[in-house]
């Protein structure tokens, strides 16, 4: 068995189905017209002829087509989407990929030398909220003693100034990645070819 492609009347794929390995060519798909009457329809004086609603194509489309479209006259596959639309679709997809990569990098955490030795700090959404809340408590002089904060996975005492440095390093971490995202996004928006868009990648 092999896959054959179901296309609509415009030549675009709507589904796939399994057919015999020896099947080749194009086969129309028929359907009886729906009745417009509510309830039981009157018996027609003449038989209702089925109408063509699509085709089953046992011809594989070539690789590299963004939106394959089948030409029933020539029985060949071609590109069904204008090049300008394809480029814009790929552009928006790349921007989405960069945005996701930026968010993942931000949430993965950061490093700080606030304790002299380098330590890693959490920076997921909850951690960011907790960092901001603690800084507000410090600025309001609600907290004045050493603060135990998780550094490299363990709670470690931080002085007020050390904690402020951790917060500043987290902010720098986030802002530098956002700046990187906007720089890469600008490159994608100004790209005029598929190769130029694909060349823009998020590197660690």
């Amino acid at each position: 068995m092999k896959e054959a492609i179901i296309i609509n009347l415009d030549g675009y794929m709507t589904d796939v189905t399994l057919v015999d390995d020896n099947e080749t060519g194009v086969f129309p798909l028929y359907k009886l017209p729906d009745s417009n009457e509510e309830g039981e329809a009157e018996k027609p004086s003449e038989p209702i002829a089925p109408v063509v609603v699509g085709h089953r194509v046992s011809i594989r489309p070539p690789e590299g087509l963004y939106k394959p479209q089948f030409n029933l006259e020539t029985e060949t596959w071609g590109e069904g989407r204008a090049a300008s639309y394809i480029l814009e679709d790929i552009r928006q997809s790349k921007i989405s990929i960069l945005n996701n990569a930026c968010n993942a990098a931000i949430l993965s955490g950061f490093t700080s030398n606030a304790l002299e030795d380098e330590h890693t700090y959490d920076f997921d959404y909850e951690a960011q909220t907790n960092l901001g809340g603690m800084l507000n408590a410090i600025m309001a002089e609600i907290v004045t003693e050493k603060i135990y904060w998780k550094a490299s996975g363990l709670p470690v005492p931080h002085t007020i100034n050390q904690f402020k440095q951790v917060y500043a390093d987290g902010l720098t971490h986030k802002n530098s990645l956002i700046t990187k995202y906007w720089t890469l996004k600008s490159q994608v928006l100004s790209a005029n070819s598929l190769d130029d868009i694909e060349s823009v990648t998020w590197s660690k």
Side-chain angles (χ1 to χ4, degrees), residues 4 26 43 60-61 63 66-67 75 81 88 92 99 110 114-116 124 132 139 144 174 179-180 182 187 195 204:
V26 183
K43 292 183 179 180
R60 297 290 299 174
E63 298 291 334
Y66 184 76
K67 188 176 182 180
E75 294 194 354
R81 191 157 173 80
E88 188 58 31
Q92 294 304 318
N99 183 66
F110 64 97
L115 297 175
E116 295 186 1
D124 54 32
M139 300 306 294
T144 57
K174 183 174 185 177
T179 299
K180 177 181 177 180
W182 281 106
Q187 294 175 16
D195 288 342
K204 294 183 179 180

Side-chain angles (χ1 to χ4, degrees), residues 25-196:
V26 183
F27 305 88
L29 302 175
Y30 295 96
K31 179 183 178 182
L32 288 174
D34 295 330
S35 173
N36 292 324
E37 302 277 345
E38 291 187 2
E40 185 177 355
E42 296 182 2
K43 292 183 179 180
S45 57
E46 296 181 2
I48 299 176
V51 295
V52 176
V53 294
H55 292 81
R56 185 175 73 242
V57 181
S58 294
I59 303 171
R60 297 290 299 174
E63 298 291 334
L65 295 179
Y66 184 76
K67 188 176 182 180
Q69 183 180 29
F70 191 75
N71 187 317
L72 290 170
E73 293 183 2
T74 61
E75 294 194 354
T76 57
W77 288 97
E79 180 54 66
R81 191 157 173 80
S84 59
Y85 288 109
I86 295 174
L87 193 66
E88 188 58 31
D89 289 345
I90 295 173
R91 191 192 313 278
Q92 294 304 318
S93 176
K94 174 63 74 170
I95 289 173
S96 178
I97 290 171
L98 293 173
N99 183 66
N100 291 338
C102 178
N103 286 334
I106 290 171
L107 298 175
S108 67
F110 64 97
T111 60
S112 174
N113 294 318
L115 297 175
E116 295 186 1
D117 294 331
E118 186 176 86
H119 289 276
T120 58
Y121 291 83
D122 294 339
F123 209 61
D124 54 32
Y125 294 121
E126 182 179 2
Q128 292 182 51
T129 299
N130 291 339
L131 279 166
M134 181 59 70
L135 181 67
N136 289 336
I138 290 171
M139 300 306 294
E141 297 184 350
I142 297 172
V143 174
T144 57
E145 303 295 331
K146 285 187 176 181
I147 303 159
Y148 278 83
W149 207 261
K150 189 166 68 173
S152 297
L154 297 173
V156 179
H158 293 64
T159 65
I160 296 297
N161 287 335
Q162 286 172 335
F163 183 86
K164 288 181 178 179
Q165 184 60 52
V166 170
Y167 182 88
D169 290 340
L171 195 60
T172 298
H173 159 78
K174 183 174 185 177
N175 288 340
S176 64
L177 291 170
I178 291 174
T179 299
K180 177 181 177 180
Y181 164 74
W182 281 106
T183 299
L184 295 176
K185 181 179 179 180
S186 177
Q187 294 175 16
V188 172
L189 290 174
S190 63
N192 294 315
S193 70
L194 174 60
D195 288 342
D196 288 343

